[in-house]
Amino acid sequence: IKYPKEKKEQEKIAKILSTLDKAIESTNRLIEKEKNIKIGLMNELLTNGIDQNGQIRTKTTHAYKPSELGLIPDEWEVKSFSKVASINMGQSPESEFVNENQIGIPFLQGNAEFGEKYPTEIYWTPEAKKVSKMNDILISVRAPVGDINISDKEYCIGRGLASLTIKNIDLDFGYYALIEERYQLHRLAQGSTFLAISKNDFDKLMIKVPTSKTEQKQIAKILTTQDKKIQIEETNLAKLKELKKGLMNDLLSGKVRVKI
């Protein structure tokens, strides 16, 4: 290994990199904390919702009624997901029409191209058979079933995906409601020869929905704000990791020397 002869210089380099490590660790903990907050918010908001006073309902202060998905607020209803979305099952183009040279439109084979919320294109095709529109919900329908992204542009979608065009309810609310009810998709997939869900399975998928679109938007706004907090910290984390990588390259090679 290469190293400075002066121990003070070694210690100075180690201190710089150690400080960055601590910042990375702290940011990781903050991201984990914000993600746990989001899980709690989703559970509360997509089960109890928000009343006219902007407060989360509770069973001790508000009226609830039985439904196929358990007790729900009186102001809510349960709907088949196929009633609130148009479902478009993917179909892959022939392999000779798939390229990495950005010819045609972006092609998503499955969840391998999924990100935290939006996909990243790797392949393109000029022979798109099934296309998702901007703001469609993208969902993995083959193992692993239930991974979800949002279509931020037009994509050709392969047989491992379906695109869902939300109608009659708020788009962002539909996105979060589907995430909350994914366990139903996993249960439906277990009944097939291999882990997969069909278009008919979406008829069996039920979600809880506030009848008020205003309430739907309020719930979605709170969860979107929380997502943005997580995204900011993940961006910060990426910058810290890149900074550490650059400093390690410079300081541990002797390209940049530290003053002692």
Side-chain angles (χ1 to χ4, degrees), residues 162-175:
S163 65
L164 312 172
T165 304
I166 298 296
K167 56 185 181 181
N168 305 324
I169 62 172
D170 179 74
L171 168 64
D172 289 327
F173 177 85
Y175 166 74

Side-chain angles (χ1 to χ4, degrees), residues 196-221:
I197 52 175
S198 67
K199 192 169 185 177
N200 290 336
D201 288 327
F202 283 103
D203 288 328
K204 303 170 190 173
L205 174 64
M206 310 298 287
I207 62 167
K208 299 169 282 191
V209 183
T211 53
S212 163
K213 207 152 189 182
T214 299
E215 186 178 351
Q216 295 173 25
K217 288 180 180 294
Q218 285 177 317
I219 291 169
K221 184 179 179 181

Side-chain angles (χ1 to χ4, degrees), residues 3-248:
Y3 61 94
K5 290 181 179 179
E6 288 283 342
K7 194 161 186 181
K8 285 185 179 179
E9 188 175 353
Q10 296 173 22
E11 290 170 348
K12 190 75 178 284
I13 291 170
K15 185 177 180 181
I16 291 168
L17 296 176
S18 178
T19 301
L20 268 175
D21 275 339
K22 287 175 183 175
I24 289 169
E25 186 181 341
S26 175
T27 306
N28 268 321
R29 284 198 302 268
L30 184 55
I31 290 170
E32 194 63 30
K33 177 185 173 184
E34 295 295 352
K35 284 184 174 180
N36 286 333
I37 289 171
K38 179 186 171 183
I39 290 169
L41 282 171
M42 286 185 68
N43 184 54
E44 285 288 340
L45 294 171
L46 297 172
T47 302
N48 302 306
I50 301 172
D51 66 17
Q52 292 179 337
N53 300 316
Q55 302 298 313
I56 294 177
R57 295 184 187 87
T58 68
K59 293 178 179 66
T60 56
T61 57
H62 294 78
Y64 283 67
K65 62 187 177 186
S67 78
E68 299 95 315
L69 297 178
L71 289 176
I72 60 172
D74 272 358
E75 299 86 351
W76 285 40
E77 58 188 334
V78 169
K79 290 187 174 184
S80 162
F81 200 78
S82 61
K83 299 293 184 185
V84 297
S86 299
I87 298 154
N88 179 31
M89 304 298 287
Q91 185 177 351
S92 300
E94 299 298 328
S95 58
E96 61 261 33
F97 297 117
V98 177
N99 68 87
E100 298 179 29
N101 304 316
Q102 302 188 22
I103 299 169
I105 71 168
F107 166 52
L108 304 176
Q109 298 187 94
N111 71 331
E113 295 96 336
F114 278 12
E116 188 68 29
K117 194 168 185 179
Y118 303 103
T120 300
E121 58 263 41
I122 300 173
Y123 304 105
W124 285 259
T125 180
E127 297 290 330
K129 295 185 176 181
K130 291 293 185 76
V131 175
S132 70
K133 301 191 294 291
M134 185 172 179
N135 292 329
D136 278 359
I137 294 175
L138 299 167
I139 183 165
S140 172
V141 294
R142 293 191 173 197
V145 166
D147 286 352
I148 292 171
N149 262 201
I150 290 181
S151 189
D152 56 338
K153 63 181 79 170
E154 278 196 346
Y155 291 98
C156 169
I157 54 172
R159 62 175 64 89
L161 298 176
S163 65
L164 312 172
T165 304
I166 298 296
K167 56 185 181 181
N168 305 324
I169 62 172
D170 179 74
L171 168 64
D172 289 327
F173 177 85
Y175 166 74
Y176 289 113
L178 185 57
I179 291 174
E180 184 73 0
E181 298 299 339
R182 275 187 298 191
Y183 73 92
Q184 294 185 56
L185 292 174
H186 295 152
R187 192 179 68 243
L188 291 167
Q190 295 291 337
S192 57
T193 308
F194 59 96
L195 290 180
I197 52 175
S198 67
K199 192 169 185 177
N200 290 336
D201 288 327
F202 283 103
D203 288 328
K204 303 170 190 173
L205 174 64
M206 310 298 287
I207 62 167
K208 299 169 282 191
V209 183
T211 53
S212 163
K213 207 152 189 182
T214 299
E215 186 178 351
Q216 295 173 25
K217 288 180 180 294
Q218 285 177 317
I219 291 169
K221 184 179 179 181
I222 293 169
L223 295 174
T224 300
T225 300
Q226 187 62 25
D227 268 343
K228 286 177 181 175
K229 287 183 181 179
I230 295 168
Q231 187 179 7
I232 288 168
E233 294 306 327
E234 286 180 335
T235 301
N236 290 338
L237 179 62
K239 288 178 181 177
L240 285 169
K241 286 182 175 179
E242 195 61 31
L243 177 60
K244 181 188 172 185
K245 182 180 176 183
L247 281 174
M248 286 186 71

